[in-house]
């Protein structure tokens, strides 16, 4: 990436890096960054009728709250939006946390509607694209990254629900 805001996402601990999804780096969230974005995530989640715990889980898994994170495939920002998805949801600057969170949360909300509230399928679509979920018969696609991503985000989601004292949601998990 040539954008001056590009910051490679690297691990300083090989043992931690080996525990992450293959081909990714350490993505443990920075708790001060999580706190920094907490209020805006709450507000945006409410706008799109999502639990903030789910948005936090996606942000944590996607960027570890690093607003300048860029993936090898070109996804950027807190919710790791691809350029087409950002445009589709009105984000003109994927590195702007508010634009990124609005676009990513709205996309996640649309995916939940598309897959009838099934959180696992919505997360699979967020990771691999909705067309791949449909292509594989409304199942989690057989991609190793996606098959590791979905349970990781669901686990984070449950942990955030508990830590935020929210009742668990039982929609297709």
């Amino acid at each position: 990436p040539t954008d001056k805001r590009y910051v490679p996402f690297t691990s300083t601990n090989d043992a931690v890096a080996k525990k992450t999804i293959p081909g990714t780096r350490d993505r443990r969230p920075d708790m001060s960054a999580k706190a920094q974005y907490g209020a805006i995530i709450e507000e945006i989640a409410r706008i799109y009728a999502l639990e903030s715990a789910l948005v936090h889980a996606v942000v944590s898994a996607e960027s570890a709250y690093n607003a300048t994170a860029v993936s090898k495939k070109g996804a950027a920002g807190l919710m790791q939006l691809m350029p087409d998805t950002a445009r589709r949801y009105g984000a003109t600057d994927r590195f702007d946390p508010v634009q990124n969170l609005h676009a990513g949360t709205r996309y996640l909300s649309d995916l939940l509607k598309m897959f009838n509230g099934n959180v696992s399928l919505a997360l699979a679509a967020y990771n691999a694209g909705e067309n791949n979920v449909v292509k594989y018969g409304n199942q989690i696609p057989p991609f190793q990254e996606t098959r590791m991503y979905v349970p990781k985000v669901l686990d984070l989601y449950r942990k955030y629900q508990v830590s935020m004292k929210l009742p668990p949601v039982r929609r297709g998990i």
Side-chain angles (χ1 to χ4, degrees), residues 115 121 130-142:
F115 295 106
L121 292 182
E130 63 263 31
N131 292 334
N132 279 316
V133 173
V134 171
K135 174 182 172 182
Y136 289 98
N138 285 336
Q139 301 289 321
I140 296 173

Side-chain angles (χ1 to χ4, degrees), residues 38-55:
I40 190 69
I41 289 174
E42 291 287 331
E43 181 182 331
I44 292 171
R46 203 170 16 259
I47 289 168
Y48 298 106
L50 292 182
E51 288 180 73
S52 61
L54 181 58
V55 179

Side-chain angles (χ1 to χ4, degrees), residues 1 6 21-25 27 62 69-76 80-84 94 126-129 132 143-146:
Y6 171 70
I21 296 170
T24 65
R25 292 162 183 86
R27 293 188 179 197
E62 290 289 346
V70 178
S71 76
K72 289 179 184 177
K73 294 180 181 178
Q80 290 292 279
L81 298 176
M82 294 298 284
D84 288 344
R94 294 181 298 151
Y126 194 91
N127 179 261
N132 279 316
F143 311 136
Q144 183 180 10
E145 178 184 332
T146 305

Side-chain angles (χ1 to χ4, degrees), residues 88-167:
R88 179 172 156 195
Y89 287 95
T92 56
D93 181 356
R94 294 181 298 151
F95 294 100
D96 177 279
V98 175
Q99 286 187 40
N100 190 286
L101 287 165
H102 268 286
T105 303
R106 186 169 155 217
Y107 179 44
L108 186 58
S109 176
D110 285 352
L111 291 171
L112 281 162
K113 290 172 191 158
M114 180 182 291
F115 295 106
N116 300 312
N118 186 312
V119 177
S120 295
L121 292 182
L123 291 172
Y126 194 91
N127 179 261
E130 63 263 31
N131 292 334
N132 279 316
V133 173
V134 171
K135 174 182 172 182
Y136 289 98
N138 285 336
Q139 301 289 321
I140 296 173
F143 311 136
Q144 183 180 10
E145 178 184 332
T146 305
R147 293 202 176 234
M148 293 177 75
Y149 175 85
V150 172
K152 176 182 179 177
V153 177
L154 289 174
D155 184 53
L156 287 166
Y157 176 34
R158 288 182 189 107
K159 287 177 182 174
Y160 284 128
Q161 283 178 316
V162 170
S163 70
M164 300 166 108
K165 295 180 175 49
L166 299 171

